[in-house]
Amino acid sequence: MTGYGVISIPAIELTMPVVEGADSYSLRAADGWLPESAEMGNAGNCVIFGHRMYEYGRHFNRLDELKEGDSIILYDAKGNIFTYTVTGTETIEPDTLMDTLAGHNEGFGLTLVTCTPTKIATHRLLVYATLEAAKFGK
């Protein structure tokens, strides 16, 4: 696992490390950035996967509580801070995931992905956000 950054979502009181890669091993301890997607803060669609754990508040467990206008803050390893604003959510069939993600590459976007519903995981919950601000470190 290679450290990639940190995700913070104040509305659901979540702060988690983000690692490079979204395999099952990495997602046990952190959220995972999909390397085939855009880097955080760059043009395109930055995609971060996270598990929904049975314990309240763990990983992306509360992701379904996010509403349009909520903030998602990404911190990269270089000290840069990227603030995204939630624009919507969508629940899809798992076999349409990659095509759905490919259709969201316009602008500076972020998509968070998790399984839904909790404990059953028959579908995928996607939370879409748009870059609102960037603060660059030294």
Side-chain angles (χ1 to χ4, degrees):
M1 282 190 295
T2 302
Y4 182 69
V6 173
I7 185 170
S8 176
I9 309 175
I12 58 173
E13 302 171 2
L14 176 74
T15 300
M16 288 282 302
V18 178
V19 296
E20 185 174 331
D23 59 69
S24 60
Y25 177 74
S26 299
L27 294 179
R28 288 182 193 163
D31 296 326
W33 167 66
L34 183 66
E36 296 82 20
S37 71
E39 294 269 351
M40 60 175 79
N42 288 345
N45 187 20
C46 178
V47 179
I48 298 176
F49 285 81
H51 276 310
R52 293 183 95 179
M53 306 303 272
Y54 299 144
E55 184 181 334
Y56 179 80
R58 296 270 300 150
H59 296 262
F60 280 177
N61 188 292
R62 297 177 58 198
L63 209 60
D64 59 340
E65 296 176 31
L66 291 180
K67 302 181 301 297
E68 193 172 316
D70 285 341
S71 293
I72 300 169
I73 306 157
L74 300 179
Y75 304 84
D76 73 11
K78 299 173 188 168
N80 301 318
I81 303 168
F82 304 99
T83 303
Y84 291 82
T85 300
V86 174
T87 58
T89 62
E90 181 177 21
T91 300
I92 62 168
E93 297 282 339
D95 59 354
T96 65
L97 178 61
M98 297 316 284
D99 287 339
T100 302
L101 292 175
H104 287 86
N105 284 323
E106 301 279 324
F108 292 77
L110 170 67
T111 303
L112 305 182
V113 181
T114 195
C115 295
T116 198
T118 305
K119 298 184 183 181
I120 300 170
T122 57
H123 290 76
R124 300 297 173 263
L125 172 65
L126 283 65
V127 174
Y128 301 111
T130 301
L131 184 65
E132 293 295 328
K135 181 178 178 185
F136 296 97
K138 297 178 180 169

